[in-house]
Structure formats: C-alpha cells, structure tokens
Amino acid sequence: MKLGAFSVSLSVSDLTASREFYERLGFEVTGGDADEGWLILKNEQAIIGLFHGMFEGNILTFNPGWTQDGVPADGGFTDVRDVQAVLRSAGVEPAEPIDADGTGPAHIVVTDPDGNTIMIDQFVDRPDD
C-alpha cells in the first residue's frame, strides 16, 4: 500500500509554546491556523501537526494522495477505501468505517496493539483506475 505523506499529529496544551519549541529544533510553520488551534510544521521531510483542544493523545497520520511536500500526488497512491478493505481483510476494523463506494476525501482511524492511534486521512478524490 502507498499511504502518502506521513506526519505526527501532536495534542498540545499550549500552541504558542509548542510552536516556539519546534521552531528551535529547526521546524518552520507551513500551514494551519493558530486562531483555530492548529499548525503544520516541517523540517526537511519531517512533518508535525500541533493541535490544541482537538483530540487527546498523539496520532500517526498518513495522507494518501498527498506528498511530503504538501501538494497533491500525481496518482500512484492507495485510496483510503482500498486501505480500509485491505485492513478489514487482515482483521483490522476501523473505528469509524467509511463508505467503500465513496470517491471524495475521507479518513479512517485504527488503533495498533499498543493503543496508538493511526489516522489515514485522504484530502483528494479517489484516483482514476
């Protein structure tokens, strides 16, 4: 499976303090909206999202159809609905399943054996087959 861009989504208690800390590590803000409580930061190919008050715990995030450079991919990715089908056939059930016949943006969430949350969050339409 080609899951696209990878990032870590961090639940933070103070968005400004977290942004300043990660900037000291060489990250730069590349997106988000501080007024809404979230920012995306990047250092080379490493991407982190800082989220205040949106969820508990940290999330490993994959974005099918999206590159590490933050732009839509030119095909060559596994649609989130196909990822869901593969996971289900392997005995992994998403917390909130999505419509297998859908074509637009969608996301699924699964939990690994240690309780870590993994979100597969697709921003783009299903690729043409």
Side-chain angles (χ1 to χ4, degrees), residues 26-106:
F27 283 84
E28 296 179 3
V29 174
T30 60
D33 187 330
D35 291 336
E36 292 181 4
W38 66 285
L39 294 170
I40 305 300
L41 293 86
K42 187 171 181 183
N43 179 326
E44 295 190 23
Q45 294 300 304
I47 300 171
I48 56 175
L50 305 177
F51 297 87
H52 174 70
M54 295 186 178
F55 52 84
E56 291 184 29
N58 300 320
I59 302 172
L60 302 176
T61 304
F62 295 93
N63 302 113
W66 207 250
T67 71
Q68 270 327 92
D69 293 320
V71 296
D74 293 329
F77 67 92
T78 307
D79 184 79
V80 66
R81 286 152 283 266
D82 297 330
V83 172
Q84 175 178 263
V86 169
L87 292 174
R88 281 179 155 173
S89 70
V92 178
E93 187 63 30
E96 296 178 19
I98 54 175
D99 178 4
D101 296 323
T103 59

Side-chain angles (χ1 to χ4, degrees), residues 18-28 42-43 48:
S18 294
R19 177 187 51 80
E20 290 171 354
F21 174 82
Y22 284 100
E23 286 176 338
R24 285 185 214 115
L25 291 177
F27 283 84
E28 296 179 3
K42 187 171 181 183
N43 179 326
I48 56 175

